[in-house]
Amino acid sequence: MTTTSFARPAISPSPELHFYVVDDGAGGPEGLLAEEFLLAADYSSVGLVSAGWNRWDGRWYDASASSRHLRVDTALRARVTPVSRTAASALYRDLCGADLPEEAALRACFGAPPARPQPPLRLSGTEATPGFRETRVYRILFAAELTQDGLAALGEAWQMPITGDLADPEVRVLGVVRRQFSGDAFRWDLRRVAAGAAWGLDVTCDLVGERDEAVGVLLRGLTTQMRQQGMIPVTVDRFH
């Protein structure tokens, strides 16, 4: 069985946090969340940590428990909007007249990472697609509702033909994308999961060489594009 090593912070040439605006329930901004998924060496997620800031007391604090609660609390999720660092910085300056802290300062507010994880349980064998050295299958899971405009934006960004009706709850796969980079082949399916309670990108990566940096770049990029449509990432699981 392959051993999964633990990496903190997330593996990235230029690590970026995920930022969210939290409103006060009356339409005004209450605070910010700055989140980070902790990743194993194969880019699957092994934990979620975050820092929060509340305009009423003006301090940053460990908000990891709040971030985990956000994934299961529909009412709380309705008060949260994914934003870019630029948008978070502008709001922070408007609310308190200061620059948004750098990533290192925000990470210092995170709580302790989870205990070292066990090697992941694969749902299939380790055989690679013929012609490739290694095949990996991931699922990036998202909470929140995908809108028709969001689906159209993803279709345009990925040059993805829309193959199903978003309004039909019986439709599972909404589109499929295929790409090739330097001999590696990638495919991702946009689908409903958990009986329609969530959305997932099922990503298959067929690798020809020893290097796998393109996997991390792709998973981060897909997550960013889904967040731009209001989706909240929950986890990155690896099945193969």
Side-chain angles (χ1 to χ4, degrees), residues 8-223:
R8 186 179 189 271
I11 301 169
S12 170
S14 148
E16 296 181 356
L17 304 179
H18 290 169
F19 290 92
Y20 298 87
V21 174
V22 183
D23 73 37
D24 57 9
E30 177 180 296
L32 292 169
L33 282 175
E35 296 185 341
E36 179 171 52
F37 280 97
L38 307 178
L39 304 181
D42 66 357
Y43 304 103
S44 59
S45 59
V46 293
L48 175 65
V49 289
S50 75
W53 176 82
N54 188 306
R55 65 181 301 185
W56 311 119
D57 55 26
R59 65 179 183 86
W60 288 92
Y61 57 90
D62 174 20
S64 301
S66 296
S67 285
R68 290 190 291 271
H69 187 56
L70 168 65
R71 269 69 186 175
V72 298
D73 187 326
T74 304
L76 176 59
R77 201 158 60 235
R79 295 171 46 211
V80 171
T81 303
V83 296
S84 65
R85 192 187 209 286
T86 300
S89 297
L91 177 64
Y92 189 74
R93 175 162 286 282
D94 286 345
L95 293 179
C96 67
D99 291 333
L100 185 68
E102 296 298 325
E103 271 70 4
L106 293 173
R107 287 191 176 98
C109 301
F110 293 169
R116 188 180 184 90
Q118 296 297 312
L121 177 64
R122 301 287 185 246
L123 299 185
S124 59
T126 59
E127 298 80 6
T129 300
F132 294 91
R133 176 189 63 83
E134 181 184 9
T135 294
R136 301 182 187 178
V137 179
Y138 297 86
R139 171 169 287 175
I140 316 174
L141 187 66
F142 298 89
E145 294 294 330
L146 181 62
T147 65
Q148 190 66 55
D149 287 345
L151 176 60
L154 292 172
E156 182 177 356
W158 296 336
Q159 298 180 347
M160 175 184 70
I162 307 302
T163 59
D165 182 0
L166 180 63
D168 183 352
E170 298 301 317
V171 172
R172 290 293 175 258
V173 177
L174 272 295
V176 179
V177 185
R178 291 179 174 84
R179 294 286 186 273
Q180 286 193 318
F181 304 104
S182 302
D184 296 332
F186 302 93
R187 164 186 164 142
W188 59 96
D189 305 349
L190 174 63
R191 64 174 62 231
R192 286 186 175 94
V193 295
W199 287 88
L201 289 177
D202 285 357
V203 185
T204 300
C205 307
D206 290 317
L207 308 178
V208 294
E210 297 294 331
R211 301 178 67 90
D212 69 351
E213 290 89 342
V215 175
V217 172
L218 177 64
L219 296 178
R220 286 193 299 272
L222 294 176
T223 299

